[in-house]
Amino acid sequence: MDTVTLEDARRVIAAAEAKAAEIGQPMNIAVADAGGNLVSHVRMDGAWLGSIDISMNKAFTSRAFDIQTKDLGDNAQPGNQFYGIHASNHGRIMIFAGGIPLSRDGQVVGSIGVSGGSGEQDQSVAEAGAAAL
């Protein structure tokens, strides 16, 4: 199975860090492999402590379901098909923006999870990181 390497993770994180610096918002950035396991994590200076766990769980969530966490969140609202999913997997499921599966040649090989700003900021930083793969 193809998976994200440490070298890949460093490249993804560097691109995400650059975007976070550009927008002036320190972030926690996590990259997981194809199995949803953490490969690397960075907490930028000044990033929220509470967002460390959230960034890792966004990476886990996006790989566990091969979906962007913002899209999962849209479907997890009351009355929608995935309502209550956030309570599964021992509470590790994040249903707000900032988690994106990472793909190579059409195959999901890992994921990125970003936390530390607004949902829009988290998403834009995650997108910048994902684009670097």
Side-chain angles (χ1 to χ4, degrees), residues 91-104:
R92 291 185 69 190
I93 304 305
M94 296 289 113
I95 58 170
F96 38 90
I100 300 176
L102 299 173
S103 296
R104 183 183 289 132

Side-chain angles (χ1 to χ4, degrees), residues 15-96:
E17 278 186 283
K19 180 65 175 180
E22 177 189 313
I23 65 173
Q25 183 63 50
M27 296 284 189
N28 284 279
I29 305 159
V31 174
D33 64 15
N37 302 296
L38 184 67
V39 175
S40 188
H41 176 270
V42 166
R43 177 178 167 253
M44 295 175 69
D45 293 341
W48 296 331
L49 294 174
S51 288
I52 296 169
D53 184 61
I54 295 170
S55 67
M56 291 182 201
N57 285 336
K58 285 181 182 182
F60 171 79
T61 300
S62 62
R63 177 57 187 113
F65 296 102
D66 292 341
I67 191 172
Q68 291 194 33
T69 54
K70 71 178 182 70
D71 296 334
L72 183 61
D74 291 344
N75 286 291
Q77 300 308 308
N80 288 337
Q81 63 178 340
F82 298 132
Y83 180 66
I85 197 168
H86 63 280
S88 71
N89 291 270
H90 305 282
R92 291 185 69 190
I93 304 305
M94 296 289 113
I95 58 170
F96 38 90

